[in-house]
Amino acid sequence: MSAVTETRPAPLAGRTELGTITIADTVVTKIAAQAAAENPDAGAAVARVLGRAVPGAGNLGVRGTDLSALPKTSVEVDGSKAYVSLEIAVRWPASIAEVTGHVRQHVRDRIRELAGLDVDEVHIVVADLATDITPPPRVR
């Protein structure tokens, strides 16, 4: 006999019959960043200064391109709605359209599941293309 666990979406944040649920922007920012990083073809982009990439910035202690790191993320929460902005790097030669589509949908799903917020917008800026990073191992 196996136990089947039914997962239900989190109740919507905002006004409920028991009171008000307020979720801080910083909490949703962490959820969004982690959700974006769960895609093996997306991650943190190299730091930029005056609009220019700073190669080798990792040696100076500044964020570099790292597909296993959390991307730069900002979120605004307005009641039960969230607006997300991500700055990511995409692994070469993955399709940018496919990767950003998967990231966008996964971020929406995870925020809805964990915080109970509807995500109206997910703005994604692909700031770097990771060409010198080895791809994840494939199972054969």
Side-chain angles (χ1 to χ4, degrees), residues 80-101:
S80 64
K81 300 206 180 282
Y83 304 89
V84 180
S85 295
L86 297 164
E87 186 174 314
I88 66 172
V90 174
R91 180 188 315 276
W92 170 261
S95 165
I96 293 174
E98 286 182 23
V99 171
T100 56

Side-chain angles (χ1 to χ4, degrees), residues 9-11 23 31 35 38 108-117:
I23 301 174
I31 293 170
E38 289 173 358
R108 280 187 160 146
D109 292 344
R110 294 297 282 170
I111 290 174
R112 172 75 172 156
E113 176 185 337
L114 297 175
L117 296 170

Side-chain angles (χ1 to χ4, degrees), residues 35-36 38-43 67 86 88-107 122 124 126 128-129:
E38 289 173 358
N39 186 315
D41 289 327
L67 295 182
L86 297 164
I88 66 172
V90 174
R91 180 188 315 276
W92 170 261
S95 165
I96 293 174
E98 286 182 23
V99 171
T100 56
H102 288 129
V103 167
R104 178 175 283 116
Q105 189 59 49
H106 190 62
V107 166
V122 179
I124 300 176
V126 178
D128 199 9
L129 192 60

